[in-house]
C-alpha cells in the first residue's frame, strides 16, 4: 500500500496498513472517561456526552458532532451556569452533564468557579 502524507510517500505492508487503520479508527471513535462525564465519538460523526457509568438515555446528550458541542461552548459568555444551556435545547440533568463535560474535557479552557449554582468560567 502506498500512503501519501504531507507530500511524502510511504510504502506499507498489509500488516502495518491494517494496524494503522485500526489505530486511526480507535482515534476517531471510542469513549473517553473523565471524573463525572464521558465523551464518545461515534462512527457516524456524532458526539455523545454522558454521565460516567450511567446507562439510561436520560443521562446523556447526543450532539451532531464534536464541532456542534464546540460551537455551543463558544456561544456561551465568559461565566455561565447550567441555566444558560437551556436555550440550546438541553433540559434537566443534561445541562449539568454538559457543563461538567466542558470543565473536564481538555479541549475547553475553563474551570468550575462555583458549585451553587454550578458555574463555569472560561479562562
Amino acid at each position: 500500500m502506498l500512503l501519501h502524507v504531507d507530500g511524502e510517500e510511504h510504502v506499507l505492508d498489509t500488516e502495518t496498513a491494517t494496524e494503522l487503520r485500526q489505530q486511526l479508527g480507535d482515534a476517531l471513535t471510542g469513549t473517553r472517561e473523565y471524573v463525572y462525564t464521558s465523551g464518545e465519538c461515534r462512527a457516524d460523526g456524532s458526539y455523545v456526552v454522558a454521565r460516567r457509568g450511567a446507562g439510561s438515555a436520560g443521562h446523556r446528550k447526543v450532539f451532531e458532532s464534536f464541532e456542534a458541542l464546540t460551537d455551543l461552548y463558544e456561544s456561551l459568555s465568559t461565566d455561565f451556569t447550567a441555566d444558560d444551556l437551556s436555550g440550546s435545547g438541553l433540559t434537566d440533568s443534561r445541562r449539568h452533564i454538559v457543563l461538567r463535560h466542558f470543565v473536564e474535557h481538555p479541549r475547553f479552557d475553563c474551570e468550575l468557579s462555583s458549585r451553587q449554582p454550578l458555574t463555569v468560567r472560561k479562562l
Side-chain angles (χ1 to χ4, degrees):
M1 174 180 183
L2 187 60
L3 178 67
H4 295 272
V5 178
D6 289 334
E8 295 183 27
E9 293 183 356
H10 303 274
V11 178
L12 305 176
D13 59 61
T14 303
E15 182 180 333
T16 304
T18 302
E19 184 179 324
L20 179 59
R21 185 171 101 191
Q22 179 65 43
Q23 290 175 355
L24 285 171
D26 291 346
L28 297 174
T29 61
T31 302
R32 293 199 173 114
E33 290 192 343
Y34 303 98
V35 175
Y36 296 103
T37 67
S38 65
E40 177 187 3
C41 295
R42 292 182 173 172
D44 66 359
S46 62
Y47 187 78
V48 181
V49 176
R51 183 180 307 278
R52 185 174 176 208
S56 75
H59 295 284
R60 69 176 177 233
K61 170 62 178 162
V62 180
F63 290 89
E64 183 179 308
S65 63
F66 186 77
E67 289 75 28
L69 177 64
T70 301
D71 290 345
L72 172 60
Y73 175 79
E74 290 175 357
S75 74
L76 297 165
S77 63
T78 302
D79 291 289
F80 59 94
T81 67
D83 287 340
D84 295 321
L85 296 172
S86 297
S88 63
L90 292 166
T91 58
D92 303 323
S93 64
R94 290 179 185 101
R95 294 178 297 184
H96 291 90
I97 293 166
V98 171
L99 189 137
R100 286 251 183 219
H101 194 67
F102 286 143
V103 172
E104 293 182 324
H105 195 287
R107 161 57 182 87
F108 305 106
D109 193 19
C110 61
E111 65 185 7
L112 190 63
S113 61
S114 174
R115 294 189 187 278
Q116 286 295 332
L118 199 58
T119 306
V120 170
R121 173 171 290 133
K122 293 179 180 180
L123 302 176

